[in-house]
Amino acid sequence: MNVAIIGVGLIGGSLAITLREQKIATRILGVDKDENNLKKAVQLGLIQEGVALEKAVKESDIVFLTVPVDAILHLLPPLLDRVSNQVIVDMGSTKKTILHAVSDHPKRGRLVAAHPMAGTEHSGPEAAIPNLFKGKMMVYVDAMNSDEDAFEAVDAIIEQLEMHTTFMSANEHDLHTAYVSHISHVTSFALALTVLEKEKSQGRIFELAGSGFESTVRLAKSSPDMWTPIFRQNRDNVLEVLQEHIRQLQQIYDVLDREDYDLFYKLIKKSNKIRRILR
Amino acid sequence: MNVAIIGVGLIGGSLAITLREQKIATRILGVDKDENNLKKAVQLGLIQEGVALEKAVKESDIVFLTVPVDAILHLLPPLLDRVSNQVIVDMGSTKKTILHAVSDHPKRGRLVAAHPMAGTEHSGPEAAIPNLFKGKMMVYVDAMNSDEDAFEAVDAIIEQLEMHTTFMSANEHDLHTAYVSHISHVTSFALALTVLEKEKSQGRIFELAGSGFESTVRLAKSSPDMWTPIFRQNRDNVLEVLQEHIRQLQQIYDVLDREDYDLFYKLIKKSNKIRRILR
């Protein structure tokens, strides 16, 4: 199978590694607006060749779109224009705006919208790692709008990637990811800003930074090029969740301020219920 | 050397493992108000014997206090009353209130205040693990108030634990830990409460929970018995940091609300500077 990967960064590069290792792809073409990324991706052995978008679509059976969601929004309509029988897989982290933009496209059936719940805080082709997807969740979004053969082709690959799968509507997907992914990034950004602000006057703060701090703040290393468009496209849901989160923090502030330690204890105890969900 | 460990949980138990493995302690006595914990600690081979506090102090050269900070506050004065030439090590996560309570004690010199920047979100003797302390930071607090021989005895052990060390005043310590440890816990508690609240109506949220969510929320599994007293004793600093953190979150909210994506991008970019500090 000939595969094209548009955007040879963390996601696209990691996908390329697995497609090659699993012998799913016989030939992998890469497309990237950054010439340097393309060169690195060839050097790292992620892709065989860096080519122009037109050539990649023409010579591939499946095209994976692994660029930031603003680029997906711009690329997807002209990409579908060029498609005959190929399959396009949109791997973006938001779906509503993107799928709305192509809802009336005559080739909509050739598009499979899928969001792998996998990633790290790093970016670029050097960040690509083997097994990024193994055991993770792939969310198929509005799958009924894809042609059956297109969906089956993608799902066969996802199975070989050893991913779990689930199905959601675009609305569900964007709301749920606001809660379990986008808000985590906002809290990490804000936490980093809080502590960096203080560091200016208190240079020794970071001597004490342990694993707890590291784990709550590591997402603050995430790329603004990737994340700004996600927040733009999922603005309404993120604002709703963020408002609730600020309300919860303000509640903890008030409880501590009035020294109601019984209630403080109960709030921690209640938050412990997250153990049900996390290993 | 005979060692007593008051509080055979995550910290005390992990310490016991290393003291035995490194052959630092020939005999380890354990004290715990919870009989079950003591039994488990003996079964797990963490301690040789569970005894009463009086016996533990009398028969030991060094006594490690690894109980929640409210218990340290209550135990420390009567413990120092019983000390002749032994050394007491307070391993609590807050220092100002505790050290103030014993500042005029005639045996204050036998106390070494030390805070290991190490831990996990788990608790109890079963949570004890080898190498919890290796490579981590030990903060000595107000070390000039300890007798020289007492400090040297503790520092020799800490060196064998292969920990880094630093020195701070109680005020510095409590302010810095508010920034790099206590606030991380507050954000995790609040994030867990936010998402658990929503889950009531949206049961499928957690299908999507990936590693990003897990890392920002894992501290919400922390014990309320341990953490409520920490927040009580470090209330003023935590309120100050929390206020700043809510201000940062509100700023992100406002910027997203008025769709100023240039500034949103800049805020993420600024928070990326945390890379300087984290690996």
Side-chain angles (χ1 to χ4, degrees), chain A residues 166 207 214 221 275 279, chain B residues 166 207 214 221 279:
Chain A
T166 189
E207 282 184 27
E214 190 169 334
K221 298 189 244 174
R275 286 196 195 121
R279 285 162 292 279
Chain B
T166 189
E207 282 184 24
E214 189 169 336
K221 298 189 241 174
R279 283 162 294 278

Side-chain angles (χ1 to χ4, degrees), chain A residues 1 79 81 108 176 206 210 221 225 236 244 247 266:
Chain A
M1 185 187 292
L79 208 55
D81 292 342
R108 170 64 181 90
H176 293 359
F206 292 113
K221 298 189 244 174
D225 293 311
D236 294 351
E244 170 65 15
R247 205 186 62 76
K266 279 178 195 155

